Amino acid sequence: MDIRKLEVFCKIVDLKSFSKAAEFVSLTQPTVSEHVRQLEDLLGEKLLDRLGREVLPTPAGELLYRYAVRLIKLQDETFQAIRQFSGNLTGDLVLGASTIPGAYLLPRLIESFQSRHPAIRLRLKIADTAKTTHHLLSGEMEIGIIGARARVPALESTDIFSDRLILVVPPRHPWAKVSTISLEDLATQPFILREEGSGSRTVMNEELLRHGFNPAALSPVAEIDSSEAVRQAVKAGLGIAILSSLAVAEDLEKGSLVQVPIEGVDIRRPFYLVQRKNRQLSPLAQAFLEHLRSSGPPA
């Protein structure tokens, strides 16, 4: 079975189009179609269906796709290993991260890694913790940095960086001038939540419960799927929120947000390196992991 034909097939499935796949792999559309026909002849199964403008895999095509992705990845890892042995680290690496580490921790580390290894291509996929976990389980990426420990038996989580979650209010809020508030006070104000599946929300809920406060007692006015959007909503006066200190550091410095201490509560939040259990990392992923560990927490 020709790996090149599998690469073409996978690209059709990814893009749901023969023409887009042909453009991506720099082949003519008839050549792309011929690759698929040869695979279908070899396997004795129809692999793709045209449904309107979309091309979707048949059940046999979905099965082939899962194995083809693994075969292509194994080929890439083989080349990486040989190049690493020769002292030339090259290849592609997809790195997953939840919102906070992806936006505030990793960019500098990625830049320093690529400056050492200019031949590598690193793509950062930022999503919430739940989606990043899904990508790791599906094999779309090898390692991820997320804001809550993975609750999936097939994944292992290791502390790698840390952060604090803090209560912030706009400067015109009555609490902006108080020295501290109680946990019970949180229930009296309109509250802006991150979305379900967010590591920030998971850690916040766990810590509030640990201190004897039920998050269900909050008065949510909005549920928003990014820390940046929550930050802007608080600044606009929509409500208060508990956010990453990394995400609001610039606002605190400028005075556009104010931190309000909660009496007896200090929410420390680790970030976790997550990968599949009992799976050997590719040489490129292993090299990036060593870079993360040796670089220490970003400034």
Side-chain angles (χ1 to χ4, degrees):
M1 188 176 291
D2 187 340
I3 291 287
R4 178 58 170 167
K5 290 183 174 61
L6 293 177
E7 290 175 337
V8 170
F9 169 75
C10 288
K11 192 52 62 178
I12 296 170
V13 174
D14 291 339
L15 299 177
K16 300 180 181 180
S17 167
F18 277 87
S19 60
K20 290 179 181 177
E23 182 178 355
F24 189 92
V25 299
S26 301
L27 294 174
T28 65
Q29 189 166 334
T31 301
V32 166
S33 298
E34 179 62 17
H35 282 338
V36 174
R37 186 193 66 77
Q38 290 177 11
L39 283 173
E40 289 178 333
D41 288 347
L42 176 65
L43 298 172
E45 294 284 349
K46 186 177 181 182
L47 300 174
L48 297 169
D49 280 328
R50 293 180 182 271
L51 300 175
R53 294 185 176 182
E54 285 190 340
V55 177
L56 298 176
T58 64
E62 291 177 355
L63 180 62
L64 175 63
Y65 179 82
R66 291 199 296 272
Y67 281 95
V69 167
R70 291 161 59 183
L71 287 168
I72 294 165
K73 183 174 180 56
L74 183 59
Q75 175 186 249
D76 291 341
E77 291 175 6
T78 302
F79 288 138
Q80 287 177 25
I82 296 299
R83 288 163 183 158
Q84 186 181 40
F85 177 78
S86 304
N88 299 308
L89 190 62
T90 64
D92 298 321
L93 176 65
V94 180
L95 175 67
S98 55
T99 309
I100 297 301
Y104 301 99
L105 292 176
L106 291 176
R108 183 182 67 83
L109 292 172
I110 290 172
E111 189 280 328
S112 60
F113 182 72
Q114 288 190 310
S115 68
R116 295 183 187 181
H117 306 288
I120 67 102
R121 293 177 297 276
L122 197 152
R123 183 157 58 97
L124 177 62
K125 294 184 72 170
I126 298 178
D128 65 26
T129 292
K131 289 179 182 176
T132 301
T133 299
H134 172 76
H135 292 321
L136 287 163
L137 289 170
S138 69
E140 295 176 57
M141 57 187 62
E142 294 182 77
I143 55 178
I145 310 293
I146 61 177
R149 188 178 293 276
R151 310 291 188 185
V152 181
L155 298 176
E156 60 181 357
S157 306
T158 308
D159 292 19
I160 191 164
F161 302 128
S162 64
D163 184 23
R164 293 178 66 217
L165 295 181
I166 60 175
L167 175 66
V168 291
V169 302
R172 59 188 175 276
H173 192 279
W175 289 359
K177 300 186 185 302
V178 303
S179 58
T180 186
I181 59 119
S182 70
L183 267 175
E184 291 70 26
D185 289 335
L186 289 178
T188 68
Q189 298 293 311
F191 203 92
I192 304 169
L193 292 170
R194 281 292 306 275
E195 80 285 5
E196 288 284 355
S198 157
S200 299
R201 180 166 173 176
T202 299
V203 171
M204 180 192 78
N205 287 348
E206 289 174 351
E207 286 298 304
L208 292 180
L209 283 170
R210 192 170 69 84
H211 284 84
F213 180 86
N214 189 342
L218 294 172
S219 303
V221 291
E223 186 173 302
I224 302 177
D225 63 1
S226 80
S227 292
E228 172 63 22
V230 173
R231 184 171 71 91
Q232 296 299 335
V234 175
K235 289 165 68 174
L238 182 61
I240 65 174
I242 291 178
L243 285 169
S244 160
S245 62
L246 292 167
V248 298
E250 185 176 339
D251 287 307
L252 295 178
E253 184 177 346
K254 291 180 177 179
S256 52
L257 285 176
V258 177
Q259 178 183 353
V260 182
I262 305 173
E263 185 178 357
V265 178
D266 183 17
I267 305 178
R268 301 283 175 171
R269 175 198 188 184
F271 291 113
Y272 298 93
L273 171 76
V274 187
Q275 61 190 93
R276 290 291 294 264
K277 287 182 179 176
N278 305 317
R279 178 177 177 181
Q280 180 68 39
L281 292 176
S282 69
L284 183 51
Q286 185 62 46
F288 185 75
L289 179 52
E290 291 170 2
H291 177 71
L292 285 182
R293 287 171 170 159
S294 65
S295 299

